[in-house]
Amino acid sequence: MKKFLYIISAAVVLLSVAACQKEVGSEPGNDGSPLVTAYQYAAPKGYNSDEDVQLRFVKNDKVKAAYFLEELSSAKKAAIEADGESAYIAKVIEQGTEIVFDENNASDTILTGLANYYDITVVAVNGSKKVGRSIVFEGLAWKPGVIGTYTFGSNSSQGQALPYRGIAPSSVTVEFQQCEFDENLYRFKDVYGAGKSLKIRLTGEDKVDDGRGPFQYFRVADGSYTGLSYAGYDVYVRDVGYALSEDYFYALGSDYECGLYDDGHCNLNLEYYVSAGRLGWAWDETFVPNP
């Protein structure tokens, strides 16, 4: 892989990380029916982003009581097929958690350990009127993987990678795992520390050979959060293609691609950055399975 990337630039481009604007307030019912709307957000720091979710429930002015129930999507489907929608609404009221709203008619909660596809059903009640709505959380569960060594990218003329910033060792022992529900999704478990993993996604293109053996392209999504911090900033990572807004930089012949070889070896060319700018390029980060 190339060790230098020359970019004509007068200054480091400032990068911004988008934040979600949480909905607040009430939603008047046009037909007099009670209604609670559920909104889904990434869980805060300290939680497992694969299995945990933050929810906000917002009620309209017709709601006298409300309940929610999280259940495997398959279990909910089976229950409704067996007993019907009305019976499931009754189940949510009887077995679910009652929602306590604040002065803005909203309520926040965090659910943990949802490592599968879950339906989160909320029921709004006003006397005999009972209105149900649901959202789906796609939790990620991982198959047992292979153990190996992940080596962080080296220093470059245009910045320093993580070890040189003092926020990662030169290499770590990690487990490389495949998602149970998505055959193209993988992760390097805890590569940045406990609960701080790096996800990669195969592109689905045909295998290619660069002279070292067949491999498949993969991408590291723009805005991938590492869980690390530097100088008070959250640290993010993405592949070079996203960093430069040009897909050529992950393609064969560019020497900046990310690839998963048939023997389990991985090669990554990445950019680490914070909202104030680039921390550094990480050329040829590698994962090598143990013999």
Side-chain angles (χ1 to χ4, degrees):
M1 300 291 174
K2 289 185 175 65
K3 298 302 181 185
F4 300 98
L5 179 63
Y6 296 97
I7 303 172
I8 299 173
S9 176
V12 174
V13 177
L14 297 184
L15 304 168
S16 61
V17 179
C20 292
Q21 177 65 43
K22 296 184 179 180
E23 294 78 0
V24 296
S26 60
E27 180 182 353
N30 295 326
D31 61 354
S33 296
L35 181 66
V36 174
T37 304
Y39 300 93
Q40 181 179 154
Y41 305 94
K45 292 181 183 178
Y47 286 86
N48 185 331
S49 61
D50 291 343
E51 302 179 2
D52 306 338
V53 62
Q54 181 170 340
L55 302 172
R56 167 159 287 204
F57 300 110
V58 181
K59 71 171 183 173
N60 69 7
D61 57 359
K62 306 300 187 293
V63 175
K64 301 301 181 184
Y67 306 84
F68 77 90
L69 178 68
E70 70 275 13
E71 189 169 36
L72 285 169
S73 297
S74 57
K76 176 182 176 179
K77 180 181 178 182
I80 291 175
E81 288 177 349
D83 301 315
E85 293 275 359
S86 296
Y88 194 80
I89 287 177
K91 176 181 178 179
V92 173
I93 295 172
E94 293 168 6
Q95 300 181 18
T97 301
E98 184 170 7
I99 303 172
V100 178
F101 294 93
D102 61 21
E103 65 275 9
N104 295 314
N105 295 325
S107 179
D108 295 304
T109 190
I110 297 173
L111 303 181
T112 62
L114 308 183
N116 208 315
Y117 293 113
Y118 277 79
D119 269 47
I120 300 161
T121 306
V122 58
V123 174
V125 180
N126 186 340
S128 62
K129 291 185 176 181
K130 302 176 180 66
V131 178
R133 279 189 166 187
S134 66
I135 58 175
V136 176
F137 174 69
E138 298 181 0
L140 300 177
W142 302 90
K143 301 175 184 178
V146 296
I147 305 298
T149 300
Y150 190 101
T151 301
F152 290 97
S154 59
N155 192 10
S156 83
S157 63
Q158 299 193 34
Q160 296 174 319
L162 298 188
Y164 300 94
R165 297 286 184 179
I167 52 177
S170 59
S171 64
V172 291
T173 299
V174 298
E175 184 176 4
F176 185 50
Q177 300 174 313
Q178 184 181 37
C179 182
E180 285 191 8
F181 315 121
D182 186 340
E183 65 180 10
N184 289 321
L185 184 63
Y186 292 77
R187 73 171 180 177
F188 300 101
K189 182 181 179 182
D190 299 339
V191 67
Y192 302 118
K196 302 171 184 176
S197 301
L198 173 63
K199 297 185 184 71
I200 67 171
R201 178 175 290 280
L202 300 180
T203 64
E205 299 173 60
D206 292 338
K207 292 182 181 180
V208 295
D209 194 322
D210 63 355
R212 292 174 293 181
F215 73 90
Q216 294 175 276
Y217 292 123
F218 63 81
R219 306 299 304 268
V220 175
D222 197 359
S224 296
Y225 178 50
T226 66
L228 300 173
S229 61
Y230 180 75
Y233 292 96
D234 291 334
V235 177
Y236 297 84
V237 64
R238 55 189 171 187
D239 66 45
V240 174
Y242 286 118
L244 300 180
S245 300
E246 177 52 70
D247 285 346
Y248 164 77
F249 287 102
Y250 87 89
L252 181 65
S254 73
D255 284 344
Y256 302 114
E257 70 269 5
C258 296
L260 169 59
Y261 290 81
D262 284 356
D263 64 0
H265 168 98
C266 294
N267 197 90
L268 305 92
N269 284 279
L270 307 173
E271 179 199 42
Y272 289 97
Y273 64 99
V274 297
S275 60
R278 183 182 303 123
L279 283 182
W281 301 107
W283 306 129
D284 293 336
E285 290 203 348
T286 58
F287 170 77
V288 178
N290 290 345

